Amino acid sequence: MHTDISAWVPMLIAKFCHDLASPLGSLGLGLEMLGEGAPDSDTTQALQKSCETAQLQLKFFRLLFTYKASLSEVQTVLERMAQLKSIRLEWQGVCLDDDRLAPLVLGLFVVASETLIRGGTIKIILGTKISLECHGSTVQWRPDCLDAICSRSVALRSPNIRIIVVSYLHHLSDTFNKTIAYELIDRHRFSISIC
């Protein structure tokens, strides 16, 4: 089924802006502190971190919403994103059947990492399918997000900003004649795949 995602553009932009708001807000606060006096090393480091985080978010979304992403670019960005979220990445497999599938790895990471609210480990397995095996001390799924993962029709019929990345993943999966699969292993572990 072909999905017209033009109606999703406002939600994709809203998600993009939401994720940029924090580092840009911190950057603005740091600049205010600079205006109040001589910079100290803590302020300078905070400014640098906020700037790097904003740049990383921009690159992340550029790669997520393009078919031009290379796997090496995706790996570099994900390693940096994982550090910010206290997540350790493990990689198994070094290639994809089709380089155009690289944005799917990014989308799966977004969905999985948002559930690991206290960090954890994500093993990214690349091969005939893309699979993320996730482990964390606290795994917290929003019911609407999990419903959208498990039901393609829910994700594509009524997307909203809270599930827009999942909806986009279903759309991309359709493009490549693939589907999303989810498995809850126990309360600390789950896997999410595209196959």
Side-chain angles (χ1 to χ4, degrees), residues 92-98 101 104-105 108 124-131 176-179 193-195:
Q92 181 177 316
V94 292
C95 64
L96 291 167
D97 290 344
D98 186 335
L101 297 174
L104 290 169
V105 182
L108 288 175
I124 300 175
I125 304 166
L126 305 176
T128 55
K129 70 176 183 177
I130 300 167
S131 183
F176 295 107
N177 296 314
K178 295 183 179 293
T179 57
S193 307
I194 293 182
C195 50

Side-chain angles (χ1 to χ4, degrees), residues 17-78:
C17 292
H18 175 271
D19 289 0
L20 273 177
S22 180
L24 291 179
S26 297
L27 192 57
L29 182 61
L31 290 171
E32 282 182 28
M33 292 172 66
L34 280 180
E36 294 172 0
D40 58 34
S41 60
D42 288 343
T43 302
T44 303
Q45 287 178 1
L47 279 169
Q48 183 175 0
K49 182 177 180 181
S50 296
C51 187
E52 289 174 353
T53 301
Q55 289 176 325
L56 180 59
Q57 290 284 8
L58 286 168
K59 185 166 188 178
F60 182 88
F61 279 101
R62 179 180 64 80
L63 294 176
L64 178 61
F65 298 124
T66 179
Y67 291 124
K68 303 291 185 184
S70 70
L71 183 58
S72 61
E73 286 179 300
V74 166
Q75 288 176 312
T76 299
V77 167
L78 283 187

